[in-house]
Amino acid sequence: MRLKKRPPDFVLFLTVLMLLCVGLVMVFSASQYVTMVRYGDSFYFFKRQLLWALLGLGAMVFMMNFNYNNLKRWIGPIVVTGFVLLTVVLIPGVGTETNGSQRWIDLGFMSFSPAEMVKLCLIMFVAFGLAKKGERIRDFKEGLLPYLVVMAIAAGLILKQPDLGTAMVLCGTIFIMLFAAGARLFHLGALGGAGVVMVGLAIALEPYRMSRFLAFLHPEADPQGTGYHIIQSLYALGSGGLFGMGLGQSKQKFLYLPENHTDFIFAITGEELGFIGASLIVLLFIMFVWRGLKIAVTSPDPFASLLAAGITSGISLQALMNMSVVTGSMPVTGVPLPFISYGGTSLLFTLIGIGIVLNISRFTNPR
Amino acid sequence: MKQNIKKLSYFLLSTFVLLLFYLTYITFQQGEELATHPQNRRMAAKEAAIIRGTIYDRQGVSLAETKWQGQAGQRVYQTVEHVFPSAHVVGYVSERYGSSGLEAAYSKELLGLTEADAVENLLDKILNRTPRGNDLILTLDASLQSRALALLGNRRGAVVALDPRTGAVLAMVSSPAFNSNTVKDPEIWEQLNKAEANAPLLNRATQGAYPPGSVIKLLTGAGILANHVDQPEKTIDCPGYVIIDGNKITDNQVHHQVNFTKALALSCNTYFAQEGVKLGWHNLLDTFEKFGLNQNPDLEIPVRAGTFAVAERRNKSQLAETSFGQGDTLLSPLHMALACSAIANQGTIMKPYLVKEIRKPEGQVVRLTESSPWLSATTPEIAGLITQGMVDAVDWGTGSGASLKGIKVAGKTGTAETKNTQDPTSAPHAWFVGFAPADNPQVVVAVIVEKGGSGSKVAAPIARDVMAAALSGK
């Protein structure tokens, strides 16, 4: 496969840059109050996010010029590293506990969340494996089972933290890749059913998830308790109107809504930049899906196709989940909004993924 | 594989488009409601920068106004002897506890945030003026309000007075009242919500649930005449009791021969129990519905619609009890006042309203409430016959405590047993509904005094004074 190298997909590159800029502005706007209260520096989170964004952009440009075919050789070590880190974070003393969950490894100057990395590792692993399998994917035992086992172990470890949202994004992404690779619909349907039952059990067996789920159905039943997030988030979106209250004018971030610079940043955007700002983000994501999957379709290499499709759909699935939570269309599951939410590891690995997709775009058939 | 990825992209793109639609729906369909929801603390925060409009009574007396003090506005409510007589209607605004009453229902208008205010708000921004909201002019009469509250004294209860010709609510008080100025103080808020405080924040006039006692006989009577169960002149013999389904119902006295009007005037239980059973559940409940007892008149403040015996409990003795006002029926004073206004207004209930006008600060009228009929409850002929019974009640029957010198008053008392098994000595609820002048009704009054005693001794004199004050005030 020796195609002449082309320049990377410029539209995707630009879309990602725009999302990144909106994100930086919104992280600053949403966190200036909470950081002022907590750290006495309203730029505290912004500076960190900017640092991670620059690091991420560097990594993206590097990956953009790093031939993705070379990744194939590194799949084994990458997956092993991911699993080791995912196990290590659960060891008390190594992983730091915040809000009752153990998600980060503290590196002193910054904290690192292995689950974000494992998502990308697993996408590479599955893409590599499925591309080699070809038609054998239609066989359950030989084609599907190995990936399902690996996925289940990773999801189990992430659930142990516990982080249901990330586990759901991971499983959903792998599921989408299995579909893209041509798995039997009957198998996928059965697995999907099993997945729904598992998520149902995960909700029913954990009281805090159960109460979140009930709060999703009737947020008004307990506006000060379990329904608080949803109601406050809808108040923020509703108060924004068409044009918003203006950048920096959100009332929500004055500590009405916790996690406003991470999981609920979309609500702040809606309040400050209005319907126009919020729908701009959605439109940028639409653009992102379109370009990302177009690259997947036009790539002649099955591995590259699956990799681009996996990375693109993983990010968009997470974005969809986050925005559904904020608009009250889904129970509260804490996942960050890709490119926008505060969170260094998430941003870094998202941008590395984009770098890979951009590199793939350089080997596509021009049409 | 390519085909599948294409399908995947259609799926993902359509979910994003769906999300966009939902976002549109939230912003444009629900946005207003979310933005102005009383629990949404942004409204309270916004208020800091806006001079909230003034709320006036019908005579121009200020009930609530915002006084600008330095950087922030201070909402000041009218107080009479440490309470705000119109607290249950006007409500309160507090950054901590949200808002209630008309302050909540008309928040947008009072803050000048409706579409009609867009031009002014833009001008305010350009000229850097402090924005001012719209004023409300209510139908209430402040002096009547404080008079009615004073008449209730330290007893629990409520008074509703309205103009039967228009539906304008002239008075609406609930006792114990509270002071809207001090609600924002956490200590006072806690006290108001304590059990022993007897729920001062509850608007008993619209949300109270009381057994109606004999005042319901006005409606049972309307049902009896409308369904031709009896001719009005037909008499029955009252031996002082009646046996329905094996249960003996004792009357207040032996009334001997009574016809329709006499039965109303003397509040004869025998007549209404016996004839109510003949009327039957279907026709009785149909009559109650026509008088709006189980309906919500959309008054813009919370109203509890009346409730009747559930279907499983609708047997014959429950029917007899419901016919003369006991049983499972629970009503608010507002509903009784509205039902009585049908009798006063030739069978038609006008839609009740509290806000007469909305005005811009410069005096320009934004909205003027026009009175409109709400329900057609009964015919003018039946209303006339019931009026005759009510006039007799005040002239020489149970309602004589409400008679006024030189003015013909129509009224009906009620003494509702509360069936308190824990406290057998507890007094019944005292009720009175009526209107004056009987031949040209201008005011309808409903009074309830919780566990106050007999309707004729306790509630009728309060109603008399409220009616006198309302008529002299015009």
Side-chain angles (χ1 to χ4, degrees), chain A residues 179 235 239 252 271 297 299, chain B residues 2 4 9 37 40 42:
Chain A
F179 167 76
Y235 284 168
S239 304
Q252 194 73 70
E271 185 178 0
V297 171
S299 169
Chain B
K2 308 277 166 189
N4 285 351
S9 68
H37 195 280
N40 189 342
R42 278 174 201 77

Side-chain angles (χ1 to χ4, degrees), chain A residues 216 230 234 320 323-331, chain B residues 19 22 26:
Chain A
F216 158 68
I230 296 173
L234 284 174
L320 269 173
M323 295 193 274
S324 306
V325 166
V326 171
T327 52
S329 348
M330 198 183 137
Chain B
L19 186 76
Y22 188 55
I26 291 181

Side-chain angles (χ1 to χ4, degrees), chain B residues 6-38:
Chain B
K6 270 186 190 163
K7 277 184 209 159
L8 174 65
S9 68
Y10 299 143
F11 171 73
L12 282 176
L13 289 174
S14 55
T15 41
F16 273 109
V17 170
L18 212 63
L19 186 76
L20 208 54
F21 276 126
Y22 188 55
L23 207 60
T24 318
Y25 171 74
I26 291 181
T27 317
F28 298 104
Q29 199 63 38
Q30 299 187 307
E32 285 260 318
E33 196 189 321
L34 288 167
T36 58
H37 195 280

